[in-house]
Amino acid sequence: MDLGTDAPDQTEMLGPDSATWRYFGDWRGMLMGLWSGSMQNMHPKLAAGVWEYSDFFDERWERLLRSIYPIGGVVFDRTPATGKQVRDYHLTIKGTMPDGKRYHALDPDVFYWAHATFWYGNVRCAEFFGPPITEADKRRLFEESRIWYSMYGVSMRPCPDTYEEFLEYWDHMCRRVLRDHEAVRTVLDITTLPPPPWMKGWMPLWLWRRQIGGVNRLFMWITTGLYDEPIREMLGLTWSDSDERRLRLFGKAVSAAMKLVPPRYRRHPRARDGDDRAAGRVPMDAPILETPKRNLPSEAERDNPIHYCPVHATRRAQLPWQSNTVND
């Protein structure tokens, strides 16, 4: 893949003084899970890769929990090797859409869209759930997102040059490109999920099933509030002024609760590992912290890229592709 002439200098590595380290890797990001997954799958070509090939829906918890580590590692490991690892998970994901158009997971426009949901998710999360974010922080996050993206070793062509151009790009995607799809609806429905791996030992299945409907309604409400209005309209979702006020109050409660947690433990383990290396508490050449074994596939399948987010797998879809795709 051509990096392009405008690729940011990778010597400007992201580090503990960056805005990205400050906002990315916070556990509040888990509240963004349905938003991120559904927004990614609204891209017609990304949805094609997920829906035609994906086994994501057979192991959603494990895939999510194991994939957070390398995705976060692109930022916190401060080495291009992790970015290339994530990139190479996508090498074999390609095919033909029902309308005859070809897709590939490393299509620059597709790959950048997935990245946009990750970095811009930091902005959305901070706006609703904290920590407080300024307009200057948002612009700094954008500039650093270009450095972050360059670490995948793919074309920089789709990257906007300025934060204002990015906002125009985002609005264009929401209004003109993104589409509803069965993959989107499946991501948004968590009622069939089993308990997460870390919970299976202590929560009975009957209790999990009894409460999961309420959890689904809560997260669907949060996600609806996070969506841009064109996305709500596309999905047929309603959002009132009262909903907006209640979500803002909920966000303030989340922010207040997080202040009671020691700063170190507000962070995902891969982010804490990056903090420790930067502070000298862990040697820079120590083995990278990986996901617990409970989240991993069998040892024989452990290096198989089909088991990592967002679009790898071998199972063909059984449900039809929706017809409302968009032209290139």
Side-chain angles (χ1 to χ4, degrees), residues 246-259:
R246 287 187 292 130
L247 182 59
R248 295 291 179 176
L249 286 173
F250 175 78
K252 289 179 180 179
V254 169
S255 183
M258 288 298 288
K259 291 178 181 177

Side-chain angles (χ1 to χ4, degrees), residues 37 77 115 164 202-203 249-250 291 301:
D77 296 351
H115 175 70
E164 287 73 21
W202 61 270
M203 177 173 280
L249 286 173
F250 175 78
T291 190
E301 289 286 304

Side-chain angles (χ1 to χ4, degrees), residues 49-67 70 85-94 105 295-316:
V50 169
W51 200 245
E52 185 175 1
Y53 289 102
S54 185
D55 65 353
F56 169 77
F57 305 111
D58 292 336
E59 50 162 7
R60 286 172 67 177
W61 280 118
E62 291 84 355
R63 179 183 293 263
L64 170 65
L65 294 172
R66 80 174 68 109
S67 299
Q85 175 192 24
V86 174
R87 178 200 64 192
D88 290 350
Y89 286 156
H90 300 74
L91 288 173
T92 60
I93 308 304
K94 57 186 176 180
N295 300 327
L296 293 173
S298 68
E299 191 165 346
E301 289 286 304
R302 196 152 297 172
D303 294 327
N304 190 334
I306 72 170
H307 296 293
Y308 295 83
C309 283
V311 288
H312 322 285
T314 56
R315 178 175 56 81
R316 285 212 169 255

